[in-house]
Amino acid sequence: MSKVIAGATLSLDGFIADESDAVGPLFDWYGNGPVEVYGADPDRAFHVTQASADYIASVWPDIAVTVIGRRLFDITNGWNGVPAVGDHVIVVTHQAPTDWPFPDAPFTFVDNLEEAIHQAKTMAGDRNVSLTGGNLTGQALELGLVDELSLDLVPVIFGTGKSFFGDYTGRHQLFDNPRVIEGDRVTHLHYRRSEASD
C-alpha cells in the first residue's frame, strides 16, 4: 500500500531555505562523499558518503510519484522536465503554466492538495509518494495525509526562513522513534507516524 513520505533537507531550527529561497549549506552533503548516486535523472549525479548512499538506496527506489508546490516548480523549472526522484511529478497549483517548454514531461498540474495526494497514490500503486516540505507538508499534516517523515538534518542554524512544516499550527501529532543514519554534515532521520496519533 502506498505511503506518503514528507521529506526535505533542513536546518537544525527547521528551515528548508532562507527568506529568499536560498539553501546555503543545506545541500552540501550531496557533494561531499565518494559514492555516486542518482535519482531519476541519469545526468544528475550526487556524490555522498557510503552511509548517505545506503540510506538513499533504501528510500528513493520506492518513490513513484513526487508532489511539489508551484514555488519549487518555478525555482527549479520543473528540473527541466525530468523528475528528481520517481517517475512522475504532481504540482499543486491554482494555475498550470501555459508556456513551460516541456509539455510532454511526466508532470501533472492539480489545484487541490487532497486531490493531488489521491492521484499520486493511485499512480504509485504499491510504491510510495514523496511530498516536499513547506506549506504543502503543513497542509497535508492538517488533513492527516502524512504517513512518514524523512528529514535530512544539517548542522546549521538559519534563524529565519521557510519552515519545513510551513504554517502548520494544528494538533499534536506523534511519530515513532526515528531510524537514524549519520552521514557527513547530515543526519538522516526517518519517522513513521505513530498509531497513537490515529
Side-chain angles (χ1 to χ4, degrees), residues 2 4 67 90 110 112-125 129 145:
S2 182
V4 176
V67 177
I90 296 181
V110 178
N112 174 282
L113 175 59
E114 201 162 7
E115 177 59 25
I117 295 290
H118 174 73
Q119 286 189 30
K121 291 182 80 170
T122 299
M123 288 179 187
V129 173
L145 298 174

Side-chain angles (χ1 to χ4, degrees), residues 44-100:
R44 189 182 305 139
F46 303 101
H47 296 89
V48 299
T49 63
Q50 188 63 58
S52 290
D54 291 344
Y55 175 67
I56 287 169
S58 74
V59 176
W60 285 8
D62 290 330
I63 300 296
V65 182
T66 300
V67 177
I68 68 172
R70 180 59 186 266
R71 187 177 195 89
L72 181 58
F73 173 82
D74 287 342
I75 290 170
T76 63
N77 192 36
W79 302 288
N80 295 324
V82 181
V85 177
D87 308 317
H88 198 95
V89 176
I90 296 181
V91 182
V92 181
T93 178
H94 294 301
Q95 187 170 353
T98 57
D99 57 351
W100 193 45

